[in-house]
Each structure stands twice: as C-alpha cells, then as structure tokens.
Amino acid sequence: MSLLRTIDLCQRYGERDILKKISVKVDKGEVFAVIGPTGSGKTTLLRLIDLLEAPTSGRIYFDGIDVTESGRLRFEARRRMAFVLQKPVVFNTSVYDNIAYGLKWRGRKSGDIREKVNNILEVVSLTPYKSRNARTLSGGEAQRVAIARAIAIEPEVLLLDEPTANLDPVSTSRTEELISHITRQYDTT
C-alpha cells in the first residue's frame, strides 16, 4: 500500500485551473521528484499534499486513509509530515531554538529536546552556529536550519519545495547530500 496517494487532484484559483486530474502514488521510503517549469503548479501540489489547502476536487490518501475532507484526519496526517518552503523560514531566535520549536510544540521533555537537537545539529553541520540568530545565516545555512527543524519531528513524509533554489553550487551540493543522508538515515519518504 502506498503511503501517499492522490487521485484526480484538481485545484482552481478563480477562473484559472492550476492542477488538473493529478494522480500520484508514493510508497513508504520512496524519493519522488516533481519537475516542471515555473508556474506549472509544483508548489500548489505540495501545499495540497501537505494538507495546507483543500483541493477543488479529487482525493488525497495518507497511509490508506482518505484525509481530503475530515479536519481531524487532516490534522493527524499533517502531524506526520513536514514541509520546507523554497525560501526557508527561520524564526528570529537561535539556530538551536529554531530546530527545537516543533519538539516543544509536541510536548517533548527538555532533556529529550536537547539530545535530539544536538544530534541534528551534527547531521546538518551547524553545531558551531547553535547559539547564533538564524536570521544572520547565509541562504544555504538557513535552508539547513529549515530542513533540520523539519526532520527534528521525525516526519514520515518530508516535502521539499525547490530546496536548492537560489543557492550557490557549494550550498546546493551540501543540501543535496544532506537530503540524501536524511532519507537514508531516517527512512523518510
């Protein structure tokens, strides 16, 4: 059974069709990429899959359950996913606190949070920056903070919207290696 599946997904904004009858099936542990030109609906598809928006029509299944319309089921499914935007969002606080936020919101104990965040800082090679304000980082470093915050909650599905857009070649390479490492180490879809 697929972990994530869409059937005939459509999205319309006003009179404009953004997506028409998109059917996708992604199995657990699979790495799946959507490629297309600017304005083709890639971000809209990710927003629908992450259940941030409701589709105009079509169905979204998460782990075999139709989560398209039920608010409770959508919330439960969203707690099992993480979404990193093309332009990374970082909070006006330390790198450590940025990564810890999702764990705090989920009620994890402070000792567990400290251990988890310190391990993730190692994974994303940001340990030296742990006390630095995340808003003072370069684009590539901020992207790694956003990815670290996403993986801290151990999502089953990690959605990445053009994670290397606007990065220099070195940062692009580091980010691609990081994503590859994460999918293997955490068995993330």
Side-chain angles (χ1 to χ4, degrees), residues 98-169:
N98 265 269
I99 297 168
Y101 268 121
L103 298 168
K104 289 177 183 176
W105 291 334
R106 284 169 170 76
R108 298 281 290 267
K109 295 178 183 170
S110 62
D112 293 340
I113 292 172
R114 187 172 35 262
E115 181 180 347
K116 181 107 178 138
V117 171
N118 285 330
N119 287 338
I120 290 171
L121 282 163
E122 293 275 328
V123 169
V124 298
S125 303
L126 287 174
T127 301
Y129 301 95
K130 118 186 208 178
S131 299
R132 207 161 136 191
N133 186 305
R135 292 219 172 137
T136 66
L137 301 175
S138 72
E141 292 162 345
Q143 187 69 289
R144 285 187 282 153
V145 169
I147 292 169
R149 185 175 55 235
I151 64 169
I153 61 168
E154 298 179 21
E156 291 174 59
V157 175
L158 177 60
L159 302 167
L160 303 161
D161 188 5
E162 298 192 41
T164 60
N166 305 315
L167 297 181
D168 63 82

Side-chain angles (χ1 to χ4, degrees), residues 9-185:
L9 213 52
C10 298
Q11 187 66 325
R12 180 181 202 91
Y13 297 130
E15 296 296 313
R16 186 165 178 238
D17 288 322
I18 304 301
L19 298 174
K20 290 184 190 177
K21 297 193 177 263
I22 304 295
S23 295
V24 173
K25 181 181 148 202
V26 183
D27 293 329
K28 181 164 178 44
E30 184 176 0
V31 174
F32 186 88
V34 177
I35 300 171
T38 300
S40 62
K42 299 180 302 292
T43 299
T44 299
L45 178 61
L46 289 175
R47 290 181 59 79
L48 291 171
I49 289 171
D50 194 41
L51 307 169
L52 292 171
E53 296 179 25
T56 304
S57 64
R59 312 306 298 165
I60 301 169
Y61 292 85
F62 188 83
D63 207 10
I65 298 169
D66 184 347
V67 296
T68 311
E69 296 177 18
S70 166
R72 181 183 59 80
L73 293 176
R74 289 168 67 87
F75 177 76
E76 289 172 7
R78 284 213 68 234
R79 299 279 291 194
R80 297 168 62 189
M81 295 188 273
F83 186 18
V84 178
L85 304 170
Q86 178 178 349
K87 184 176 180 190
V89 174
V90 292
F91 306 124
N92 189 24
T93 187
S94 72
V95 168
Y96 178 95
D97 286 338
N98 265 269
I99 297 168
Y101 268 121
L103 298 168
K104 289 177 183 176
W105 291 334
R106 284 169 170 76
R108 298 281 290 267
K109 295 178 183 170
S110 62
D112 293 340
I113 292 172
R114 187 172 35 262
E115 181 180 347
K116 181 107 178 138
V117 171
N118 285 330
N119 287 338
I120 290 171
L121 282 163
E122 293 275 328
V123 169
V124 298
S125 303
L126 287 174
T127 301
Y129 301 95
K130 118 186 208 178
S131 299
R132 207 161 136 191
N133 186 305
R135 292 219 172 137
T136 66
L137 301 175
S138 72
E141 292 162 345
Q143 187 69 289
R144 285 187 282 153
V145 169
I147 292 169
R149 185 175 55 235
I151 64 169
I153 61 168
E154 298 179 21
E156 291 174 59
V157 175
L158 177 60
L159 302 167
L160 303 161
D161 188 5
E162 298 192 41
T164 60
N166 305 315
L167 297 181
D168 63 82
V170 171
S171 295
T172 295
S173 179
R174 276 189 183 154
T175 301
E176 288 171 347
E177 288 172 17
L178 174 61
I179 293 165
S180 179
H181 174 75
I182 289 165
T183 57
R184 284 191 316 273
Q185 181 176 341

